[in-house]
Amino acid sequence: MANTANTVKSRSFWPVAYAIPSAIGPACPRCDRSLVRIRRRPLDRLLSLALPVRRYKCHQYTKGRQCTWEGLLRFESSPAAAIPEHSAATGDAFGDVSFEDMAQITLDAIGDAVLVVDPQGKVIYLNRVAETLTGWSSEYALGRAVEDVFCIVDGTTREREASPSLRAINEDRIVELALGSVLIRRDGSDLAIEDSAAPIRSRRGNMAGAVIVFHDARQSQSVIEKMSHLARHDALTCLPNRVLLRERLNQAIGMADRHGKQLALLFLDLDYFKQINDSHGHAIGDQLLREVAVDIQACVRATDTVSRHGGDEFVILLTEIEDMRDSAQVAEKLLARFALPRTINGRDLHISLSIGISVYPENGLDADTLMQNADNAMYAAKSNGRNSYHIFQPTQEQTLA
């Protein structure tokens, strides 16, 4: 019994920077021979915050072949059980892949970058994505101040921002980057990122550092821009929808006031479109609507807006015109273009327009009034035989075509 006590005492753990032969070491999970404690890897320090583990390696020979097992083994923290004990949970739960190797594989496999700092703000771990995004390899980043490796500036002012990891440690809470933050990579290039930092506590509850999880925000920005475009444009024709038209109409009214100009709204409705859609199918109808959108755009200026309101209704916003006759000229141009025959998928189609026009400020001083009056004028054109345009008159309605 005395010998056992002496043996336990003689094998007290040495500093991890050295490979220490052990008289009575933990058993190798592979060959069941004695292991040697070796220097920790960067990830070991992170794992040891959650589990009492130490790194060992086997140098034993069995049947003329050297066992090369290396990994982490769990040990009990109480003095009475100081001898490391092999644990299936950390040793061989993944077969030939050790627990820490599986953790490393997992961290490298995820799509986000992971960077860990100690309580002093020194980098102690980066996964592969973090190496790629920062431009720093683990070899050069470990031990450096986090501000050197993870330098964040405001994307607009270019002012340096406080490290989210140090804020997480000092404030003991999860911290998120402000929108528009930019990472300055090691080569000096910019990268828009989104991130959050969280404090890390050891299994004893002590502050052990912080973890930063971040990703390339360029894809997120692209998704945001795409969603914004879809919210303001027609999916079939890619023309502005009602929302965007109203925004531009309100802006155009303000510009017309400042410059002493007029503007006009033209409401267009395709005559007998329902019959075409029912006779030839929705595929032909959709293709016709796309061609109509292109034809309408060809008849107006680049500064004007062509919008689809759904179904077979389109709206044109003519900005800063001199007088009402400018809108009439555009309407005549549209009627002439749509009088031409067209063929879609081998089918000859004939389409015409009914157009209603309202002019600012004569026919209304706000967007709602102008749109309502243009819509009324369009129905007047339909009532007068279609394939025509009608300018709204407050006192009397006069057909001009």
Side-chain angles (χ1 to χ4, degrees), residues 58-339:
C58 185
H59 295 282
Q60 303 293 340
Y61 281 85
T62 302
K63 296 181 180 180
R65 298 182 63 181
Q66 184 180 12
C67 178
T68 58
W69 184 91
E70 177 184 335
L72 295 181
L73 294 180
R74 186 169 183 170
F75 68 95
E76 299 296 334
S77 57
S78 63
I83 299 177
E85 297 178 355
H86 170 60
S87 168
T90 58
D92 59 1
F94 306 107
D96 288 338
V97 181
S98 64
F99 176 78
E100 76 282 3
D101 284 339
M102 180 58 70
Q104 181 75 63
I105 292 170
T106 302
L107 287 170
D108 285 339
I110 64 176
D112 286 343
V114 178
L115 185 151
V116 183
V117 302
D118 65 14
Q120 289 71 47
K122 302 294 185 182
V123 177
I124 61 174
Y125 176 74
L126 299 88
N127 70 350
R128 289 181 182 174
V129 180
E131 290 181 325
T132 300
L133 295 187
T134 63
W136 287 85
S137 66
S138 294
E139 178 184 359
Y140 293 101
L142 298 184
R144 287 183 175 270
V146 65
E147 296 93 337
D148 295 339
V149 179
F150 192 72
C151 177
I152 302 297
V153 300
D154 184 281
T156 303
T157 65
R158 308 302 294 181
E159 293 182 1
R160 189 157 186 168
E161 298 182 357
S163 168
S165 58
L166 296 181
R167 287 182 57 201
I169 292 172
N170 294 332
E171 301 172 19
D172 193 17
R173 67 180 182 88
I174 296 175
V175 175
E176 294 186 355
L177 272 183
L179 292 176
S181 297
V182 172
L183 170 68
I184 306 300
R185 305 180 71 244
R186 188 181 185 188
D187 61 5
S189 60
D190 292 0
L191 180 66
I193 64 167
E194 294 175 345
D195 94 331
S196 64
I200 300 175
R201 290 192 172 275
S202 70
R203 57 186 179 274
R204 296 183 178 87
N206 300 323
M207 183 63 69
V211 57
I212 307 173
V213 180
F214 59 102
H215 62 269
D216 187 341
R218 291 174 297 182
Q219 183 176 1
S220 298
Q221 184 62 33
S222 175
V223 172
I224 292 172
E225 291 175 355
K226 182 177 180 180
M227 294 298 292
S228 176
H229 182 273
L230 290 174
R232 295 150 59 93
H233 291 78
D234 173 56
L236 179 64
T237 63
C238 295
L239 293 176
N241 61 13
R242 291 174 182 266
V243 175
L244 185 52
L245 174 69
R246 181 172 287 274
E247 291 179 9
R248 293 185 179 179
L249 177 54
N250 287 324
Q251 293 170 1
I253 290 173
M255 292 291 291
D257 276 341
R258 285 192 292 272
H259 298 161
K261 300 287 187 179
Q262 296 180 332
L263 64 84
L265 274 183
L266 284 69
F267 267 46
L268 286 64
D269 186 84
L270 303 186
D271 297 330
Y272 305 111
F273 175 75
K274 186 178 184 304
Q275 288 86 330
I276 294 175
N277 213 26
D278 292 342
S279 301
H280 301 286
H282 291 288
I284 296 294
D286 288 348
Q287 182 59 34
L288 174 60
L289 291 172
R290 285 189 285 264
E291 291 190 8
V292 166
V294 173
D295 287 345
I296 295 174
Q297 289 176 302
C299 294
V300 299
R301 301 165 299 179
T303 54
D304 298 324
T305 296
V306 178
S307 169
R308 182 183 177 220
H309 275 206
D312 58 350
E313 291 186 352
F314 295 81
V315 180
I316 301 174
L317 168 60
L318 301 178
T319 59
E320 297 197 9
I321 60 175
E322 295 297 332
D323 58 46
M324 189 180 297
R325 287 174 294 184
D326 294 337
S327 62
Q329 290 175 359
V330 172
E332 291 169 355
K333 187 176 181 180
L334 286 164
L335 293 174
R337 188 178 187 94
F338 278 81

Side-chain angles (χ1 to χ4, degrees), residues 18-38:
Y18 303 95
I20 314 294
S22 177
I24 302 179
C28 174
R30 184 175 296 169
C31 69
D32 206 31
R33 306 286 290 278
S34 181
L35 293 172
V36 174
R37 188 174 171 190
I38 61 173

